[in-house]
Amino acid sequence: MAQQGQSFMRGTLVLSVAAFINRILGFVSGMYIARVLGAEGIGLLMMAHPLVPLVITITELGLPVAISKLVAEAYARDERLKVRRILHVSLAITGVLSVTLTSVTLIGSEWIASILLSDQRAYYAMLAITPIAPIVAVSAVLKGYFRGIQQMKTIAASDVLEHTVQIACVLAMVHLLLPYGIAYAAAGAMAASVVSEAISLSFLLASYKLRGEAKAPGETWANHLKHGRSTLSELLKIGLPTTGHGVIQSLYFSFQPLLITSSLALAGISTAVATQQFGLLAGYAFPLLFMPSFITQSLSTALVPAIGEAAANKNGLLMHERMNQAMGLGLLIGAPATVILFEWATPLTTLVYDAPDAGMLLKILAPMFFLHYFDAPLHAILLGLGRAKDTLVNYVIASLFKAVSIFVFGSQFGIKGVAYGIGIGIVMQALLNFLSISGSIGFYWNIRPYLQVGVSMAVMGIGGHWTFGYLTEQGLPLLWSTPASIVAALLLYFAALVLTGTLKWRSMRLRIAIPW
């Protein structure tokens, strides 16, 4: 059991490191695209992208999660034939569905564009990204297989390879196509994503081939599919309940650009300006807001089985201990991230994107986005408790509330109102998930550490603001005064945590002690 725990933690650490590398690579790629295409080009990219996740969600049918679970169980029983049958049946389903839906999307692309795209210049970018769906779907099946056999290094390597290739392709495609216009350059950036995904899939296929899975006599694709009805039933029993959330999420994100630009049009903003403002929000502010969340996402991956195991053993004490640790880590990460994104909003968007106008939107969203760093662990806790239906209901309610808020505030106050509407939706979703957990098993916590972190945030914000102002008055360029003041503020934050007893020096050699 201890060895399994170590293997699980090692795999989680590998994925966390890979996620950090990918976040940096993606951030560098996004920064280049944002600087070259500008806010208007980013707006076209954001409009063209949302349809693809819907196609991918439908074709995957929640199978990656089901595959990892069933493969792990089959491997534990040494049922290698069943492992291969799971893989063959899953590939057949996703392959047929993804190719069919992608073909329909390509055939009806003009009609889809006339409905979803408020700016028809995004049509070429939508067309360029559409072929990515079958590639991602097949990759997801293979990743589910590698998760099931605990080969996390293969998944991590494929992800890093994908993002590295994507940067190279984006640089080349945007450079080549920009002279022909911003619409073609945006399409080139989308095409780069397709190429990088294809390279990643090739790596996963090669890794599977190198494993050299021995086939039984007479084992064929047709044989697997002929006798795969029970396997298909097992896969769908696990996969379908998780698909509803993904479909609704994809549908919402498909219509969100149209919702935002429509609300801005009612505020008297032209289509071109609305596209530019949407680019400031989705292409500049959101990447900075989501940057720190890779840690809580990695934590959530480990939290689902941990909560599930504790719930199955009816170990309420362990369950609440894991919950408190998750919330504590979310607090320690989210607190300094929120202060940085709020206090240095305009300097960050100026340095990274050369877009100081995006700083205003980042400053509006940062305080409300603080709850987002808790939402991923809360969502994982509900899944671990077997309350997937609650997560779906909460998401639907929060999304409806967010859509109404965006439309009402956006039509009255422009892009600032849109930002407030999105922030309100984030707050609503986190609160609903929290209430669902409280109503199910209760939520017990010690308020003292949260007050201590609150004091540390105040010290960090005041100290950082003063340091930035002092360095700026001394004539230090923005490139130096911003990182220097952020580092000074972080040092103040961690010093305050130590002085208040939130972090323990004696345990920092191996881990951070979260005493709640």
Side-chain angles (χ1 to χ4, degrees), residues 447-465:
I447 194 65
R448 182 181 174 186
Y450 291 86
L451 294 176
Q452 291 171 334
V453 173
V455 171
S456 301
M457 288 177 70
V459 171
M460 177 184 176
I462 295 170
H465 182 79

Side-chain angles (χ1 to χ4, degrees), residues 200-239:
S200 176
L201 174 58
S202 300
F203 175 81
L204 290 170
L205 288 169
S207 299
Y208 176 73
K209 290 287 185 182
L210 288 174
R211 286 191 57 80
E213 291 276 357
K215 293 184 179 181
E219 185 180 335
T220 62
W221 270 87
N223 187 266
H224 280 303
L225 297 179
K226 183 179 179 181
H227 298 91
R229 183 173 297 178
S230 62
T231 302
L232 175 60
S233 178
E234 287 182 272
L235 287 167
L236 294 180
K237 185 178 179 181
I238 301 170

Side-chain angles (χ1 to χ4, degrees), residues 277 279-281 284-286 288-289 340-351 353-367 415-416 419:
Q277 292 186 347
L280 290 174
L281 180 65
Y284 295 172
F286 279 173
L288 288 171
L289 289 163
I340 290 171
L341 294 173
F342 180 81
E343 281 289 344
W344 288 271
T346 301
L348 283 173
T349 56
T350 302
L351 282 175
Y353 301 115
D354 193 24
D357 290 344
M360 168 196 66
L361 302 175
L362 184 59
K363 203 176 188 72
I364 291 172
L365 280 166
I415 194 64
K416 289 183 180 180

Side-chain angles (χ1 to χ4, degrees), residues 127-316:
L127 212 59
I129 194 65
T130 301
I132 204 173
I135 301 173
V136 172
V138 174
S139 294
V141 170
L142 290 171
K143 288 178 180 179
Y145 163 78
F146 282 115
R147 286 192 191 97
I149 62 174
Q150 295 295 308
Q151 289 291 323
M152 302 301 183
K153 290 182 181 179
T154 303
I155 300 172
S158 71
D159 289 343
V160 173
L161 175 64
E162 174 196 332
H163 282 79
T164 304
V165 172
Q166 185 179 18
I167 288 180
C169 290
V170 163
L171 290 173
M173 298 294 284
V174 172
H175 178 73
L176 286 173
L177 295 175
L178 191 58
Y180 298 97
I182 195 169
Y184 289 101
M190 288 299 202
S193 298
V194 178
V195 174
S196 62
E197 283 285 356
I199 297 295
S200 176
L201 174 58
S202 300
F203 175 81
L204 290 170
L205 288 169
S207 299
Y208 176 73
K209 290 287 185 182
L210 288 174
R211 286 191 57 80
E213 291 276 357
K215 293 184 179 181
E219 185 180 335
T220 62
W221 270 87
N223 187 266
H224 280 303
L225 297 179
K226 183 179 179 181
H227 298 91
R229 183 173 297 178
S230 62
T231 302
L232 175 60
S233 178
E234 287 182 272
L235 287 167
L236 294 180
K237 185 178 179 181
I238 301 170
L240 283 179
T242 63
T243 306
H245 184 282
V247 169
I248 294 173
Q249 186 177 45
S250 299
L251 281 171
Y252 174 76
F253 281 116
S254 294
F255 284 97
Q256 182 173 273
L258 184 62
L259 176 67
I260 291 174
T261 51
S262 298
S263 68
L264 293 178
L266 288 176
I269 298 171
S270 67
T271 300
V273 175
T275 301
Q276 184 180 17
Q277 292 186 347
F278 178 67
L280 290 174
L281 180 65
Y284 295 172
F286 279 173
L288 288 171
L289 289 163
F290 281 108
M291 185 70 179
S293 63
F294 75 93
I295 298 176
T296 54
Q297 291 294 337
S298 299
L299 168 69
S300 300
T301 302
L303 194 58
V304 174
I307 294 293
E309 183 181 356
N313 295 329
K314 298 182 179 178
N315 190 337

Side-chain angles (χ1 to χ4, degrees), residues 51 102-114 123 126-127:
L51 181 64
T102 301
S103 300
V104 170
T105 303
L106 288 172
I107 293 170
S109 59
E110 292 187 6
W111 177 75
I112 294 170
S114 67
Y123 171 72
M126 187 190 79
L127 212 59

Side-chain angles (χ1 to χ4, degrees), residues 482-496:
T482 300
S485 56
I486 289 176
V487 169
L490 284 171
L491 290 175
L492 285 172
Y493 173 70
F494 285 109

